[in-house]
């Protein structure tokens, strides 16, 4: 896809985000995160140099590291599943880890954050669709994971993240988003004051307007609708 077309796509999506906020009666900020999985370093440079986005997200740590220096004007997010042995590569670079979903990962983030003398901002990922193929803690175990993380001195929770199932039934998806928002509101009341619970990361290319309108999303993660199809020739970079 031509870079000028990408500029138009970003502008169009930002407008649709604002329209979704109006429908929901919201005036708060919704951050657009450009999901750059299997997109080129040249694209990242273009986004950074032209300040078209403030934030980008990577699913894979190898791609995150490979592209990081090409996006110096960008805030970098980890939005994919994170292996414990990869935490050390991103701990001092990511502004937000979206996919904290288990105790062992919390332990490693705490360990690496302590090494770098920093506080790691994280979201707990919740598996709202109970899909085996996706990461995220079961909603019924959310309180248990929260209690475990509460004891970590170098982790600050900012909120929740989810990847919703791809449903044809939009009413069912709408209900899932409402349930997720309710879970988030309940979560805010239970988290210790050391945390800063202000972030709800949900909504992708197919459902981001619904995520804003019914889920209360404060961050949406868009890839294909901005950048076109992924470049699989980039392999595992």
């Amino acid at each position: 896809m031509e870079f000028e077309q990408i500029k138009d796509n970003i502008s169009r999506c930002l407008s649709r985000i604002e329209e979704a906020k109006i429908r929901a009666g919201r005036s708060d900020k919704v951050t657009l995160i450009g999901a750059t999985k299997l997109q080129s370093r040249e694209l990242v440079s273009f986004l950074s140099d032209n300040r078209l986005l403030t934030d980008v997200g990577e699913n894979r740590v190898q791609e995150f590291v490979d592209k990081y220096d090409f996006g110096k004007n960008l805030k970098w997010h980890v939005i994919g599943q994170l292996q414990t042995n990869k935490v050390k590569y991103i701990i001092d670079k990511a502004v937000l880890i979206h996919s904290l979903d288990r105790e062992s990962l919390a332990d490693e983030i705490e360990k690496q954050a302590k090494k770098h003398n920093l506080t790691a901002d994280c979201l707990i990922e919740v598996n709202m669709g109970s899909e085996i193929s996706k990461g995220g803690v079961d909603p019924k175990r959310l309180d248990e994971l929260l209690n475990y993380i509460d004891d970590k001195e170098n982790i600050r929770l900012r909120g929740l993240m989810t990847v919703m199932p791809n449903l044809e039934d939009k009413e069912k998806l709408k209900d899932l988003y409402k349930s997720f928002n309710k879970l988030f509101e309940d979560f805010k009341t239970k988290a210790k004051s050391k945390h800063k619970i202000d972030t709800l990361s949900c909504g992708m290319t197919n459902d981001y307007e619904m995520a804003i309108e019914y889920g209360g999303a404060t961050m949406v993660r868009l890839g294909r609708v901005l950048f076109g199809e992924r470049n699989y020739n980039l392999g595992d970079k």
Side-chain angles (χ1 to χ4, degrees):
M1 184 179 289
E2 296 293 330
F3 285 166
E4 287 305 312
Q5 179 62 54
I6 289 171
K7 190 184 292 188
D8 290 343
N9 291 346
I10 291 171
S11 177
R12 188 179 306 112
C13 285
L14 287 171
S15 294
R16 292 178 71 172
I17 286 169
E18 291 304 312
E19 289 165 5
K21 282 170 52 181
I22 290 170
R23 290 195 298 273
R26 294 176 53 185
S27 59
D28 56 325
K29 181 182 179 182
V30 175
T31 299
L32 170 56
I33 299 174
T36 54
K37 178 181 178 181
L38 291 177
Q39 300 294 343
S40 68
R41 292 179 294 191
E42 290 74 21
L43 169 63
V44 171
S45 292
F46 175 72
L47 297 174
S48 178
D49 293 346
N50 291 276
R51 298 181 186 269
L52 297 177
L53 292 172
T54 56
D55 298 70
V56 294
E58 270 298 338
N59 290 70
R60 305 176 183 184
V61 168
Q62 190 171 343
E63 281 196 77
F64 184 112
V65 173
D66 183 61
K67 298 171 189 173
Y68 181 78
D69 287 338
F70 291 83
K72 293 187 180 297
N73 297 320
L74 298 167
K75 298 174 186 174
W76 287 82
H77 300 245
V78 174
I79 59 175
Q81 290 303 290
L82 183 58
Q83 296 174 304
T84 54
N85 64 345
K86 300 289 179 66
V87 173
K88 59 188 175 185
Y89 299 113
I90 55 85
I91 193 66
D92 59 339
K93 298 178 177 66
V95 297
L96 188 62
I97 296 170
H98 291 230
S99 47
L100 175 49
D101 63 355
R102 59 197 186 278
E103 287 84 354
S104 60
L105 182 55
D107 289 341
E108 186 63 20
I109 292 172
E110 172 75 2
K111 173 185 170 183
Q112 295 298 332
K114 195 166 289 186
K115 274 187 183 180
H116 287 81
N117 193 30
L118 57 80
T119 298
D121 279 339
C122 299
L123 306 178
I124 293 181
E125 181 177 358
V126 182
N127 191 334
M128 290 300 294
S130 301
E131 295 176 283
I132 296 173
S133 62
K134 289 180 181 174
V137 65
D138 186 292
K140 294 175 183 175
R141 282 200 63 242
L142 179 58
D143 288 353
E144 182 183 336
L145 184 56
L146 170 61
N147 291 336
Y148 187 84
I149 294 169
D150 271 341
D151 293 331
K152 305 298 182 187
E153 295 178 358
N154 292 74
I155 293 177
R156 179 172 63 175
L157 293 175
R158 298 295 301 273
L160 302 179
M161 181 271 241
T162 195
V163 179
M164 287 294 186
N166 189 13
L167 298 176
E168 293 293 330
D169 186 341
K170 299 306 177 188
E171 287 302 313
K172 187 173 181 180
L173 183 59
K174 186 190 298 184
D175 288 342
L176 271 179
Y177 270 122
K178 289 178 179 178
S179 296
F180 186 51
N181 184 262
K182 186 175 183 301
L183 191 71
F184 175 69
E185 293 299 325
D186 184 52
F187 181 77
K188 281 199 292 189
T189 67
K190 294 176 179 177
K192 285 186 176 178
S193 58
K194 71 165 188 169
H195 302 300
K196 185 183 177 184
I197 309 301
D198 59 0
T199 302
L200 199 55
S201 172
C202 57
M204 298 164 67
T205 288
N206 292 330
D207 63 354
Y208 69 97
E209 292 169 277
M210 189 174 287
I212 294 166
E213 200 168 346
Y214 299 102
T218 63
M219 288 183 175
V220 293
R221 313 178 303 273
L222 306 185
R224 190 174 67 253
V225 70
L226 301 180
F227 311 129
E229 295 305 318
R230 294 167 176 166
N231 182 0
Y232 288 95
N233 291 327
L234 290 175
D236 290 328
K237 268 196 167 189

